[in-house]
């Protein structure tokens, strides 16, 4: 069963620090740009919603055709955004929680400048593995 | 995530860090040494706050974040909570710890009966050295609050050891 999914991490300064197409469908050039566009457009909605609740997982906040945007906000206001077509909410929540742990491990690296792009290939491999497992 | 570390190891590391920055790296420039040590504390506070806020819901306002620093954050770092929190409700908070863990091994100088100028200057030096040790915890608090979205300035006051007060001024 192929699924489309695009995952980005946006820092507190609204700069994307990590992007990945993690769906199992074949990658198409125009689809990737469209996914990024939809996710960036959803940032405004996240901004408003983040102040109304103290939960971290904001579930589905926006729709585009049949794709849904789900967001998870950390205490440091770093946003994990996922554009997907599946309806598996528990899986997505577990995915976000595991990525949060990976993100903290990146942060604990003293040579990592907070707010800069995450370039570790190890992180990339792990995120893709988690996506295959939970999405 | 999270393993135990020997406390004497931490104490020795911090003492050596302050001593190295003050006596070797920036030997005659105490302000630069202080800024460096505070910057290290800033990064550590940033990382620690991210780690300790993972399990709990996010904060709705400044007071919640400060209470988190006083209770959970301080407990994770020092196995105790802040003893006293005062605020003027206009952006200034005073956190008082009656027995600050990293200063417990520091000697308390008794003031001399009739201070000669030499003894007074030695005492002033001691005060400077003691205050150097406070830049790291001030940096930790500042880093943690900045990560939670609260830019602030933190200073410390050790007029009566081993109690220590941290004054947080939130930038409007």
């Amino acid at each position: 069963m192929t699924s489309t999914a695009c995952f980005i991490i946006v820092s507190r300064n609204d700069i994307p620090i990590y992007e990945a197409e993690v769906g199992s469908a074949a990658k198409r050039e125009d689809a990737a740009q469209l996914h990024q566009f939809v996710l960036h457009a959803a940032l405004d909605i996240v901004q408003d919603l983040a102040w109304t609740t103290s939960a971290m997982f904001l579930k589905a906040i926006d729709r585009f055709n049949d794709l849904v945007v789900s967001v998870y906000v950390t205490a440091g206001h770093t946003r994990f955004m996922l554009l997907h077509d599946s309806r598996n909410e528990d899986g997505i929540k577990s995915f976000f929680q595991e990525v949060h742990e990976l993100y903290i491990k990146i942060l604990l690296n003293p040579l990592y400048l907070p707010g800069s792009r995450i370039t570790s290939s190890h992180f990339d491999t792990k995120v893709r593995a988690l996506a295959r497992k939970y999405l | 995530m999270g393993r135990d570390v020997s406390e004497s190891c931490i104490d020795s590391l911090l003492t050596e860090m302050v001593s190295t920055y003050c006596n070797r790296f920036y030997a005659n420039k105490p302000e630069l040494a202080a800024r460096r040590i505070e910057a290290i504390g800033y990064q550590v506070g940033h990382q620690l706050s991210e780690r300790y806020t993972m399990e709990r819901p996010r904060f709705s306002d400044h007071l919640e974040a400060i209470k988190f620093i006083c209770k959970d954050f301080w407990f994770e770092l020092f196995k105790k909570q802040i003893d006293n929190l005062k605020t003027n409700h206009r952006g200034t908070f005073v956190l008082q710890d009656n027995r600050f863990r990293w200063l417990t091994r520091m000697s308390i100088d008794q003031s001399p009966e009739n201070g000669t100028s030499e003894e007074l200057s030695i005492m002033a030096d001691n005060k400077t050295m003691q205050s150097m040790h406070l830049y790291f915890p001030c940096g930790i608090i500042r880093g943690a609050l900045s990560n939670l979205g609260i830019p602030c300035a933190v200073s410390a006051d050790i007029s009566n050891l081993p109690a220590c007060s941290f004054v947080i001024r939130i930038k409007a």
Side-chain angles (χ1 to χ4, degrees):
Chain A
M1 185 199 75
T2 61
S3 65
T4 37
C6 181
F7 175 63
I8 69 171
I9 303 181
V10 183
S11 74
R12 63 176 323 123
N13 305 324
D14 298 326
I15 302 174
I17 58 178
Y18 178 75
E19 290 156 335
E21 285 274 342
V22 297
S24 47
K27 299 174 198 349
R28 285 165 36 218
E29 190 51 55
D30 50 348
Q33 289 175 349
L34 180 64
H35 293 165
Q36 280 190 11
F37 181 73
V38 173
L39 282 171
H40 280 79
L43 273 176
D44 284 335
I45 306 180
V46 178
Q47 200 78 323
D48 288 333
L49 218 56
W51 293 113
T52 63
T53 169
S54 66
M56 289 195 156
F57 181 48
L58 295 182
K59 301 190 186 174
I61 57 162
D62 191 22
R63 302 178 48 87
F64 176 77
N65 294 350
D66 61 341
L67 297 172
V68 176
V69 180
S70 298
V71 171
Y72 178 97
V73 187
T74 70
H77 213 57
T78 306
R79 287 143 283 186
F80 300 160
M81 304 179 68
L82 184 69
L83 178 72
H84 57 92
D85 56 2
S86 64
R87 293 284 173 272
N88 178 9
E89 229 180 65
D90 284 329
I92 292 172
K93 183 169 184 177
S94 318
F95 172 70
F96 278 141
Q97 279 169 342
E98 301 258 343
V99 176
H100 191 180
E101 255 203 56
L102 283 178
Y103 173 68
I104 292 183
K105 289 201 176 119
I106 293 270
L107 263 191
L108 290 178
N109 178 0
L111 300 175
Y112 171 73
L113 181 67
S116 63
R117 294 193 66 84
I118 298 180
T119 52
S120 157
S121 58
H122 185 67
F123 180 79
D124 190 46
T125 321
K126 285 229 142 137
V127 168
R128 289 181 195 276
L130 282 174
R132 274 196 300 275
K133 180 176 167 197
Y134 285 113
L135 296 178
Chain B
M1 204 175 9
R3 299 189 194 98
D4 290 335
V5 175
S6 144
E7 189 181 339
S8 53
C9 228
I10 295 275
D11 276 343
S12 311
L13 179 66
L14 294 177
T15 318
E16 188 57 32
M17 171 177 75
V18 174
S19 147
T20 314
Y21 271 94
C22 291
N23 302 333
R24 292 211 289 134
F25 292 167
Y26 299 102
N28 297 322
K29 296 169 251 179
E31 317 83 36
L32 289 184
R35 290 246 295 270
R36 234 23 200 107
I37 296 175
E38 214 257 354
I40 297 177
Y42 182 85
Q43 181 156 0
V44 172
H46 195 277
Q47 295 165 335
L48 287 180
S49 72
E50 193 70 47
R51 192 196 221 180
Y52 295 143
T53 52
M54 190 183 154
E55 299 295 325
R56 44 163 305 138
R58 293 182 293 118
F59 305 110
S60 35
D61 66 354
H62 290 181
L63 187 59
E64 291 281 314
I66 298 275
K67 275 161 46 173
F68 162 75
I69 299 278
C70 291
K71 296 183 181 175
D72 301 320
F73 192 73
W74 218 252
F75 187 78
E76 293 279 357
L77 283 182
F78 304 114
K79 295 282 185 294
K80 66 186 283 284
Q81 298 183 352
I82 287 276
D83 297 302
N84 204 344
L85 169 66
K86 292 192 276 263
T87 173
N88 72 349
H89 293 293
R90 270 193 289 277
T92 305
F93 296 87
V94 179
L95 277 59
Q96 187 180 336
D97 188 340
N98 290 335
R99 196 179 153 74
F100 189 50
R101 212 173 178 87
W102 291 341
L103 296 182
T104 49
R105 307 263 173 263
M106 213 174 276
S107 60
I108 305 174
D109 272 324
Q110 309 298 333
S111 52
E113 292 288 311
N114 41 340
T116 65
S117 63
E118 183 177 292
E119 283 173 23
L120 281 179
S121 72
I122 292 178
M123 278 201 53
D125 278 341
N126 282 345
K127 271 289 180 200
T128 332
M129 279 314 296
Q130 283 173 353
S131 56
M132 274 298 171
H133 282 85
L134 291 170
Y135 284 110
F136 188 64
C138 286
I140 291 184
I141 298 177
R142 190 169 73 91
L145 285 175
S146 299
N147 192 35
L148 299 174
I150 306 175
C152 58
V154 183
S155 58
D157 164 40
I158 38 164
S159 25
N160 43 337
L161 282 175
C164 184
S165 301
F166 295 96
V167 182
I168 303 176
R169 281 180 203 87
I170 297 185
K171 296 182 186 167

